[in-house]
């Protein structure tokens, strides 16, 4: 027994000798979030700002396809995933745990990015007050945009407006409160951009070439705020905002900031292009209902020699295939002059300025190779006219479902297959529901 | 091993006065002579071994006393020294291994009959004696009570998920047991190849569980294995501390035993083929018009007219694989040095063309006695393995043939033209599976060294005490490289922005471990009380490095990823260091009462606090009731009560500590973006405690024996992602979130039903079950695994089993946490039956049947086949019950439970059972007399036989090929998902083994 005691002592000595030698392993693969949250350098802040712009594309594909499918403006003929055609079209129960909930949750990360950027700016001395305003203005603008996408999908479920502490987020606000909160993010961003000097402290990526000063970027910020205002049906505020945006009656209808893509890492290719397994099709009805010679159709949709038939879980055929995003580096517009002109038409309609409304409608129609609007000039008729032009002008940009919903016209959406229906909103994601149960909200 | 140690022991016996000589012959029950049997004079220090003909001669120091005859694999016998004449002995085979030595500590071992735990041992004969499995884990299926070993698929090269006694983690720690080969902690991970990026099964990240790779235990040549010991739970494995939560598998390879040099040659030749097919529904014009597209009618008519109507499933999966295994080993040595060398080639092609597995293994095990004090040894193993895994499983681009065949209609031509150009498949299917089979590459190669060593120092060796220091350790170094390649002109690639895909992956993993221990033994009370004390220190670590280059937009005909137009690359590093120390005290009172207690302390850089020590105590007690004097051994010859308690832990996975800031670029600039996972610097290990108790018995002198075990394994501080509200931008952070219990029962029986010279029949039934329940959960309940609640997911909820599978529809409409329960992934129970029959002296028949009762599978395979219109019974209406609605249409609209509470035949999860004949074989041993007549003394043994692997199967599973498929690889949770699978495979072989 003595021997064992002795060897035990030897062991103990060995161990105490290297007791301090087990050092923590520093992450060999990535920088840490902690490295930017205090005393961030200018380079780090610039990195976060570029990250903010890159992240604005998070969830974009799923969002656009989900709201497009819900609004029956497009179908995703995805041969390896029939839920695009079944669950999202109402032929099977909707699932709040499925992949397509990214349409809501994918916009969480840009919001977190904005909160991290703002916190980093507030906790460093390496930027001037003006520069700080520039970073924050950028952050709040993208935060507002991401939150708006979220509430579009969730609608009456509302969203969480304060998620600065991910482990203690606010409760869900109502739809109206959510829109109000989003407007506040955007307004705060606009104010900050006003105090941001004449240039950004970082190089604006190429998709924002025409918006690369705080003043120009604010026009983009106001354009998003304008979207919020018409969702709120606050036509007076919308009228005020119109002039602060980049609306240009005589300008290129495609003018506006875009998401750019590149297949080379750390960037990625446009995820919305058609491949063998994911093919975006237009419902036959939309193309057939278009006026003859509408160049908006021919620009975005090609007609196949024979119909493409989808047979997984649901059977539907269409001859009309999207050519909107033909290549991996095709940019995706965030908001375009064409949308602003149609919003101007809508605002004019709602404010009773019929002549203005028709004038704006005709700008868009003429550009599409169509004659002037000749329909009735009642408010109801003009609303329908605006909705129709928005369908063709903004096809595959994620508006149809929201537009029909805000005018209570969801039941008018054409259902090409018996058994299909239009959901008014997606269910609140399972993980969001569970969090509230957990947190006792 | 016992023999080897015995020989060592004998070699240093001091010379004593001799007063009597005894001699005789030792034979086995079948009458054959047994060479190498140990004979020791009890209480003294003299002994010998039998010669080649089984004869012995021993000089004894006294006229009377007892002789102990022992031999590996046979029951030892203790006999009185005869007054006069020869002492001939017949040794019975130790069918249940009462005599075998079981490694219980890091430096000590104990005889099975004295063991307090139900440690399963698998001998070389049990492992490889019936048939030749490709991998070691595959060879264990159905042989271990308390183990759920599931094959992930049927591609050559294996891929297995191994869970002992239920669940030990919910995915955030090692899900697979620790494998130790000759003292070396080896790597058993599945290395990613990028295949699931090639077919878009998953996006973005480097590593994916959907690559369907082999786990690296596949590199170990099963023929090298002498013995496997399985420490299933914390009570047996406590001394392994933080590495042992999922169990420990201790593999001992063969070693030289000295004596005449023995050369063994073995050759297997065999074939493999699909066990079943799933498609074959006929196509009519009416079917196309009603349910698909009338536009396809001309194609159907043309195919019927030209006779080109083809069942593509049978073209691709109807092939025959070839099996060619060759082994050559040489073992021998003298009293000082012993060696074992083995060279082997395993070469197997799959049922799908261009799939296969080759393993070239070379091993040299050397033991050398420098002096009475110093012994050294090493085990060296070099392996090169080469695996073509093909394309099965989940897919989002129609690349995998397992996914495209269900949709491929028989009237489209897929065969290449005379110039070798493959025609496009129907546009909606998007890829020609023949083109993928013939032109795409999914290859993984591994170069690997496993090097173990030991140094024993016999510091003190007296009659009643000894002190030994043991230094052991080793290195497992592997360098793997993988190529995944899709040519740019494939149908599925052409519409891509950058057609073509190639990924070149390099994986380098170094595992090392070192241990230094002292063992002190002391015998007291006239050798009736034996005390063994041991203590030591341990350090181990892993350094892993994975690099890849992924190229898209490849020039025609080029598979080099670097030539792509759009490149991605990654370097992923991981490293960790663990340190531990341990002490253990064992006491054995006359083989009647055996008690042990020990403790291990561990710390690891994987924990939030790397300098914090965690303690893992253990204690056990075994009472051999039948060894007490009051016991009458006539009927119950052995009866042991045992109880054991122990604690272990599982470490957090690498990376849990870090809140990462990733890099994403836009417009030619790179920016910082946070990960959706928050790091947790407070994370600690998952800790398990286990209480195991039971009894072992032997009836009629061991003719019937049994082992009955109950256990209660509790896992505390199980790490779960705290699933945060994802709209915060944080999806999860891993925390020590809850506790769970595993309770279960294991029964193993063995019986010599018939035993005489011409006919023996041995049966060994094993029965086991496990129930897991989450007893505490501080994170919200959540669904995990699978592909959404539509098809079924695992629910993590307090009070429920974590392997419970739930899904749509919601029984309570509007309640977003209300789900239909479809059963449990863990079976209600498992049952296996091993049988061995010998007849006509030289024939041996054996069979292993394995039954798994009522477990739930998430199947999407039938969904694919139904959507494609090809399911074998698609056209029938028996399930729909409506003559106007084919099953295939009906099932696409149906989910939930029927009025009897059974899952409906829809797209929902499936409850199923199976019975498989895992192994079956018939062998003939050429009689020694015939051999010596033909070859003289050159050939000492020839055995020929035929065997089969998974030859027959019964199952009520109709939702896919086989209920044993797993798309998500080896995982504690979420592995049983059947999607895009290929048929299960039966293997048939001819064997020849020659000993020189």
């Amino acid at each position: 027994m003595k021997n064992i005691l002795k060897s035990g002592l030897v062991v103990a000595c060995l161990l105490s000798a290297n007791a301090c030698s087990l050092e923590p392993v520093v992450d060999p693969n990535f920088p840490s979030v902690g490295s930017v949250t205090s005393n961030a350098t200018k380079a780090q802040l610039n990195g976060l700002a570029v990250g903010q712009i890159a992240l604005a594309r998070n969830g974009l594909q799923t969002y656009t396809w989900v709201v497009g499918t819900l609004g029956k403006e497009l179908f995703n003929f995805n041969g390896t995933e029939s839920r695009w055609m079944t669950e999202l079209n109402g032929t099977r129960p909707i699932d709040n745990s499925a992949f397509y909930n990214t349409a809501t949750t994918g916009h969480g990360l840009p919001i977190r990015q904005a909160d991290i950027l703002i916190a980093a700016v507030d906790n460093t001395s390496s930027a001037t007050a003006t520069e700080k305003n520039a970073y924050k203005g950028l952050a709040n603008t993208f935060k507002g945009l991401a939150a708006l996408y979220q509430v579009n999908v969730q609608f009456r479920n509302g969203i969480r407006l304060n998620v600065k502490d991910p482990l203690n987020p606010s409760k869900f606000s109502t739809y109206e409160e959510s829109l109000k909160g989003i407007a506040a993010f955007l307004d705060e961003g606009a104010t900050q951009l006003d105090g941001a000097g004449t240039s950004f402290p970082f190089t604006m990526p190429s998709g924002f070439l025409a918006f690369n000063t705080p003043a120009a970027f604010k026009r983009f910020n106001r354009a998003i705020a304008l979207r919020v205002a018409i969702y709120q049906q606050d036509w007076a505020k919308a009228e005020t905002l119109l002039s602060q945006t980049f609306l240009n009656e005589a300008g290129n209808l495609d003018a506006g900031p875009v998401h750019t893509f590149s297949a080379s890492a750390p960037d990625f290719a446009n995820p919305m292009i058609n491949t063998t397994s994911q093919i975006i099709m237009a419902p036959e009805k939309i193309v057939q209902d278009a006026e003859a010679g509408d160049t908006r159709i021919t620009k975005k949709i090609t007609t196949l020699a024979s119909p493409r038939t989808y047979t997984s879980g649901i059977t539907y055929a269409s001859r009309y295939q999207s050519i909107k995003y033909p290549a991996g580096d095709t940019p995706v517009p965030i908001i375009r002059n064409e949308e602003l002109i149609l919003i101007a038409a809508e605002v004019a309609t709602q404010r009773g300025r019929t002549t203005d409304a028709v004038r704006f409608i005709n700008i868009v129609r003429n550009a599409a190779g169509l004659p002037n609007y000749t329909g009735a000039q009642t408010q109801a008729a003009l609303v329908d006219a605006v909705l129709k032009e928005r369908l063709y002008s903004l096809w595959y940009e994620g508006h149809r479902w929201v537009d029909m919903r805000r005018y209570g016209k969801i039941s008018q959406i054409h259902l090409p297959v018996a058994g299909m229906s239009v959901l008014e909103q997606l269910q609140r994601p399972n993980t969001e529901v569970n969090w509230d149960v957990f947190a006792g909200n | 091993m016992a023999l080897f140690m015995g020989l060592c022991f004998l070699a240093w016996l001091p010379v004593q006065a001799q007063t009597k000589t005894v001699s005789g012959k030792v034979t086995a029950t079948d009458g054959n002579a047994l060479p190498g049997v140990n004979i020791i004079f009890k209480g003294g220090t003299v002994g010998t071994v039998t010669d080649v003909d089984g004869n012995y001669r021993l000089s004894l120091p006294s006229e009377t006393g007892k002789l102990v005859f022992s031999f590996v694999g046979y029951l030892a016998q203790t006999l009185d020294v005869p007054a006069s004449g020869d002492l001939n002995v017949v040794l019975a085979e130790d069918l249940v291994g009462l005599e075998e030595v079981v490694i219980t500590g890091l430096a000590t071992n104990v005889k099975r009959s004295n063991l307090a735990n139900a440690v399963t041992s698998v001998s070389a004969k049990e492992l490889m004696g019936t048939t030749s499995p490709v991998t070691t884990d595959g060879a264990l299926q159905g042989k271990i009570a308390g183990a759920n070993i599931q094959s992930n698929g049927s591609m050559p090269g294996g891929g297995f998920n191994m869970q002992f006694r239920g669940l030990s983690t919910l995915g955030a720690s090692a899900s697979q047991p620790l494998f130790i080969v000759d003292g070396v902690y080896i790597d058993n991970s599945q290395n990613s190849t990028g295949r699931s990026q090639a077919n878009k099964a998953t996006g973005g990240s480097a590593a994916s569980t959907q690559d369907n790779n082999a786990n690296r235990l596949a590199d170990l040549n099963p023929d090298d294995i002498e013995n496997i010991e399985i420490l299933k739970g914390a009570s047996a494995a406590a001394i392994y501390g933080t590495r042992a939560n999922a169990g420990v598998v201790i593999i001992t390879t063969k070693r030289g035993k000295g004596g005449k040099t023995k050369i063994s040659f073995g050759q297997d030749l065999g074939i493999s083929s699909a066990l079943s097919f799933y498609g074959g529904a006929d196509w009519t014009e009416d079917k196309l018009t009603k349910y698909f597209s009338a536009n396809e009618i001309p194609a159907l008519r043309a195919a019927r007219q030209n006779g080109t109507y083809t069942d593509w499933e049978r073209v691709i999966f109807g092939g025959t694989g070839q099996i060619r295994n060759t082994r050559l080993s040489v073992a021998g040595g003298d009293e000082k040095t012993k060696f074992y060398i083995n060279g082997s080639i395993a070469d197997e092609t799959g049922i799908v063309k261009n799939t296969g597995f080759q393993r070239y293994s070379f091993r040299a095990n050397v033991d050398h006695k420098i002096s009475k004090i110093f012994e050294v040894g090493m085990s060296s193993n070099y392996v090169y393995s080469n695996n073509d895994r093909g394309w099965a499983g989940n897919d989002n681009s129609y690349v995998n043939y397992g996914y495209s065949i269900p949709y491929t209609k028989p009237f489209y031509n897929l065969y290449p033209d005379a110039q070798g150009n493959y025609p496009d498949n129907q546009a909606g299917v998007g890829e020609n599976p023949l083109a993928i089979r013939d032109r795409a590459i999914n290859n993984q190669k591994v170069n690997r060294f496993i090097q173990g060593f030991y140094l024993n120092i016999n510091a003190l060796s007296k009659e009643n005490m000894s002190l030994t220091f043991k230094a052991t350790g080793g290195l497992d170094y592997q360098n793997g490289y993988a190529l995944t390649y899709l040519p740019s002109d494939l149908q599925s690639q052409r519409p891509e922005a950058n057609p073509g895909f190639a990924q070149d992956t390099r994986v380098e993993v170094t595992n090392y471990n070192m241990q230094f221990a002292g063992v002190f033994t002391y015998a007291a009370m006239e050798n009736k009380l034996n005390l063994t004390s041991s203590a030591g220190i341990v350090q181990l670590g892993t350094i892993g490095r994975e690099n890849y280059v992924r190229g898209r937009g490849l020039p025609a005909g080029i598979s080099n990823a670097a030539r792509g137009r759009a490149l991605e690359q990654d370097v992923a590093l991981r490293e960790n260091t663990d340190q531990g120390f341990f002490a253990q005290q064992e006491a054995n009172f006359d083989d009647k009462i055996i008690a042990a207690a020990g403790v291990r302390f561990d710390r690891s850089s994987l924990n939030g606090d790397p300098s914090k020590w965690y303690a893992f105590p253990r204690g056990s007690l075994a009472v051999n009731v039948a060894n007490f004097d009051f016991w009458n051994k006539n009927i119950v010859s052995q009866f042991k009560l045992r109880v054991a308690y122990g604690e272990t832990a599982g470490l957090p996975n690498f990376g849990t500590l870090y809140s990462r800031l990733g890099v994403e670029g836009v417009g030619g600039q790179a920016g910082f973006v946070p990960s959706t996972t928050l790091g947790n610097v407070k994370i600690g290990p998952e800790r398990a405690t286990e209480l195991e108790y039971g009894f072992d018995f032997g009836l009629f002198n061991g003719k019937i024996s049994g082992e009955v075990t109950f256990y209660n394994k509790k896992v505390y501080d199980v790490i779960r992602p705290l699933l945060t509200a994802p709209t915060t931008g944080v999806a999860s952070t891993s925390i020590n979130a809850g506790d769970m219990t595993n309770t279960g029962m294991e029964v193993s029986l063995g019986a010599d039903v018939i035993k005489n010279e011409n006919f023996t029949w041995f049966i060994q039934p094993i029965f086991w079950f496990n129930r897991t329940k989450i007893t505490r959960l501080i994170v919200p309940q959540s669904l995990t695994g699978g592909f959404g609640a539509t098809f079924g997911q695992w629910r993590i909820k307090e009070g429920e089993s974590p392997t419970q599978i739930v899904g749509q529809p919601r029984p309570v409409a509007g309640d977003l946490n209300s789900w239909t329960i479809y059963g449990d992934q863990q079976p209600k129970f498992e049952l296996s039956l091993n049988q061995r029959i010998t007849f006509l002296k030289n024939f041996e028949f054996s069979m292993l049947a394995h039954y798994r009762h009522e477990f739930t599978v998430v199947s999407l395979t039938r969904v694919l086949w139904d959507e494609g219109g090809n399911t074998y019974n698609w056209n029938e209406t028996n399930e729909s019950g409506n003559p106007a609605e084919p099953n295939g249409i009906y099932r696409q609209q149906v989910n939930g439970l029927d009025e009897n509470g059974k899952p409906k035949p829809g797209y929902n999860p499936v409850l199923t059972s199976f019975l498989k004949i895992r192994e079956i074989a018939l062998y003939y041993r050429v009689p020694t007399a015939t051999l010596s007549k033909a070859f003289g003394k050159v050939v000492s043994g020839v055995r020929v036989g035929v065997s089969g692997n998974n030859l027959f199967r019964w199952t009520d599973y109709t939702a896919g090929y086989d209920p044993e498929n797993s798309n998500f690889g080896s995982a504690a949770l979420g592995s049983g998902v059947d999607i895009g699978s290929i048929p299960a495979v039966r293997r048939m072989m001819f064997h020849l083994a020659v000993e020189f």
Side-chain angles (χ1 to χ4, degrees), chain A residues 1 3-4 7-8 11 14-15 18-36 43-44 46-48 50-55 57-58 78-83 87 91-98 100 104-105 107-109 111-113 116 150 160 163 165-167 169 172 202-206 260 263-269 273-279 306-315 327-329 427-435 437-438, chain B residues 200 291-293 295 395-398 403 407 409 427-428 430 460 465 467 469 491-493 495-498 516 518-520 533-537 539 565-569 571-581 585 603-605 610-611 613 654 657-676 678 722-730 733 778-783 787-791 793 808-810 816-817 819 863 867-868 892-893 895 907:
Chain A
M1 277 333 238
N3 288 319
I4 198 69
S7 43
V11 167
L14 275 170
L15 285 165
N18 68 9
C20 307
S21 68
L22 202 54
E23 293 291 322
V25 175
V26 176
D27 189 348
N29 297 310
F30 292 96
S32 73
V33 173
S35 69
V36 297
Q44 285 176 321
N46 290 349
L48 288 172
V50 172
Q52 182 81 66
I53 295 158
L55 270 186
R57 303 168 302 174
N58 214 47
N78 188 318
T80 61
E81 183 52 84
S82 56
R83 286 177 283 180
E87 291 176 12
T91 66
R92 285 182 191 165
I94 198 75
D95 180 359
N96 68 345
S97 174
Y100 49 71
T104 307
T105 59
H107 305 298
L109 198 56
I111 294 174
R112 175 159 151 80
Q113 176 83 6
I116 289 175
Q150 265 185 19
R160 301 180 195 273
V163 295
D165 179 357
L167 298 179
F172 285 92
F202 51 90
T203 309
M204 197 55 108
S206 55
T260 61
S264 286
D267 204 343
F268 55 88
I273 59 169
N274 286 343
T275 64
T276 45
S277 56
Q278 55 186 43
I279 302 170
S306 64
R308 188 182 287 285
T309 309
Y310 192 82
T311 54
S312 298
I314 208 165
T315 302
D329 57 1
Q427 287 179 346
R428 186 173 288 165
N430 188 259
T431 34
E432 296 285 339
V433 174
N434 287 337
W435 177 266
V437 173
F438 169 69
Chain B
K200 301 183 185 173
Y291 308 110
F292 292 88
S293 170
N295 299 335
D395 176 286
N396 278 318
S397 61
Y398 279 134
Y403 213 108
Y407 293 94
K409 300 191 179 86
L460 176 71
M465 67 175 79
L467 176 65
F469 294 102
Q491 185 186 358
S492 60
Q493 293 300 305
E496 294 287 333
N498 290 297
F516 183 75
V519 182
F520 177 73
S533 314
S534 55
I537 54 171
Q539 175 156 332
R565 207 163 43 228
L567 295 180
E568 284 173 67
Q569 48 243 299
V571 177
L573 309 172
R574 66 188 160 96
E575 62 171 286
N576 65 272
T577 308
D578 296 5
Q579 291 173 339
F581 62 98
Q585 178 64 49
R603 63 181 181 180
S604 169
S605 62
S611 56
W613 291 102
F654 181 76
L657 303 173
Y658 311 124
S659 294
R660 292 175 164 171
L661 207 51
V663 175
E664 190 173 305
V666 64
Q669 295 189 65
F672 289 132
V673 298
S675 159
T676 55
L678 272 191
L722 170 59
L723 294 181
T724 46
T727 58
T728 62
V730 173
T733 180
I778 61 165
V779 299
Q781 64 163 289
S782 61
L783 301 185
F787 294 98
T790 301
F791 304 111
Q793 289 189 285
Q808 295 272 18
R810 301 182 190 284
L816 296 186
N817 269 321
W819 302 108
V863 175
E867 288 180 357
Q892 290 183 60
Q893 316 301 332
N895 69 351
Y907 49 85

